[in-house]
């Protein structure tokens, strides 16, 4: 059993305090709320990737306790489900390693948990979080209908010529009912993965990283099993009712995972090409549009794999001893 020292706990408490302040700042600044909420995962990821599970657990517990005291226990639960627990779990998975010989590799190397599986876990965790949020706020046709009615009434007050007919309003309500969980789930996967990437760069630059830095263009892919989950989500969208809402959430989260994988495949396929820079710039600039994003998503669907990072066993064991 590893010895738990006060320094690890102190580092975790400081990280948890930072995460809680970022979440509270998101409540105070609605215009930057999404960015600040996603940034609150950074302290937990940094201490988890650099100092191990004990520091990450301390950070999650500290942030949750502060949220419960300052706001409410329900707020602390929501904060934990959305950012703290996913961040702690991702850092835990990233630090998992075993001898490469156990998976048919060389005896003198260590194999690290595949990035494709980490991304799969992220999509699943965000799916659960978005569904949990939907249950908390009572998300459904009534809530979205009220939102659309208020929005349309506001537009009509400003310009009566833009008033929509009842049939169009009902179509908008039906579309938004599924579109909101798709967008919410997809954006949250992208933001949390960006936080993971930034945290990995920070701990690698500081020399504290337990996991070696990987070549993302070759390792950033989705697990093959994620394809079946994504297809099941698409089918559920046509069922209607609660299954459709769950399916829309899965489409958004796992679709974002395949979108990230598509960008990884695009980076790999353009490596060494003279036209690499303009193609990548065009891809990133046009990604917010539906058709370019769909093409990149298809690239991710077409290239699913589990790439395992390998490092010398002695170095891996030395690094892990710091946790």
């Amino acid at each position: 059993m590893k010895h738990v020292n006060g320094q690890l706990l102190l580092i975790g408490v400081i990280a948890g305090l930072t995460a809680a302040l970022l979440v509270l700042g998101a409540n105070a600044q609605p215009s930057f709320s999404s960015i600040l909420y996603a940034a609150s995962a950074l302290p937990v990821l940094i201490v988890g990737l650099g100092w191990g599970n004990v520091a990450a657990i301390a950070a999650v517990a500290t942030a949750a306790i502060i949220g419960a005291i300052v706001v409410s226990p329900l707020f602390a639960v929501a904060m934990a489900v959305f950012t703290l627990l996913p961040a702690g779990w991702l850092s835990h998975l990233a630090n998992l390693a075993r001898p490469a010989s156990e998976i048919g590799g060389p005896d003198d190397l260590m194999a690290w948990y595949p990035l494709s599986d980490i991304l799969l876990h992220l999509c699943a965790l965000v799916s659960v979080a978005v569904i949990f949020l939907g249950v908390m706020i009572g998300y459904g046709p009534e809530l979205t209908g009220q939102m659309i009615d208020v929005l349309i009434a506001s537009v009509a007050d400003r310009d009566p010529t833009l008033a929509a007919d009842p049939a169009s309003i009902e179509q908008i309500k039906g579309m938004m009912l599924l579109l909101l969980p798709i967008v919410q789930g997809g954006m949250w996967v992208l933001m949390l993965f960006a936080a993971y990437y930034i945290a990995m760069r920070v701990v690698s630059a500081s020399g504290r990283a337990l996991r070696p830095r990987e070549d993302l263009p070759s390792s950033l892919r989705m697990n093959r099993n994620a394809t079946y989950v994504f297809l099941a989500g698409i089918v559920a969208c046509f069922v209607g009712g609660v299954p459709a809402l769950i399916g829309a959430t899965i489409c958004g989260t796992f679709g974002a995972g395949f979108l990230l994988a598509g960008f990884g495949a695009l980076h790999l396929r353009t490596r060494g090409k003279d036209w690499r820079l303009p193609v990548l710039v065009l891809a990133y600039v046009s990604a917010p549009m539906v058709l370019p994003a769909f093409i990149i998503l298809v690239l991710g669907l077409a290239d699913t794999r589990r790439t395992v990072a390998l490092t010398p066993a002695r170095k891996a064991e030395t690094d892990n001893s710091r946790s």
Side-chain angles (χ1 to χ4, degrees), residues 10 13 49 52 119 137 214 220 253-254 289:
L10 178 60
V13 168
L49 293 171
L119 188 55
I137 66 176
E214 300 172 74
L220 182 57
T253 54
F254 282 78
M289 293 183 285

Side-chain angles (χ1 to χ4, degrees), residues 167-231:
S168 299
I169 293 175
E170 290 302 317
Q171 286 183 340
I172 294 173
K173 289 180 180 180
M175 180 182 66
M176 292 301 296
L177 180 64
L178 297 181
L179 185 61
L180 286 177
I182 290 175
V183 173
Q184 176 68 38
M187 290 301 299
W188 202 242
V189 167
L190 296 177
M191 288 185 172
L192 285 183
F193 184 81
Y196 170 82
Y197 174 76
I198 293 171
M200 181 61 75
R201 292 295 297 263
V202 170
V203 294
S204 296
S206 67
R208 288 288 320 183
L210 303 178
R211 181 188 181 96
R213 278 190 60 187
E214 300 172 74
D215 179 43
L216 286 185
S218 59
S219 61
L220 182 57
R221 299 293 187 275
M222 283 287 277
N223 188 298
R224 290 183 177 88
N225 295 329
T227 306
Y228 305 111
V229 180
F230 183 58
L231 292 176

Side-chain angles (χ1 to χ4, degrees), residues 1 18-19 40 50-51 58 99 123 131 161 168 188 196 251 262:
M1 180 179 294
T18 305
S40 67
W51 283 267
C123 295
I131 294 171
T161 61
S168 299
W188 202 242
Y196 170 82
C251 286

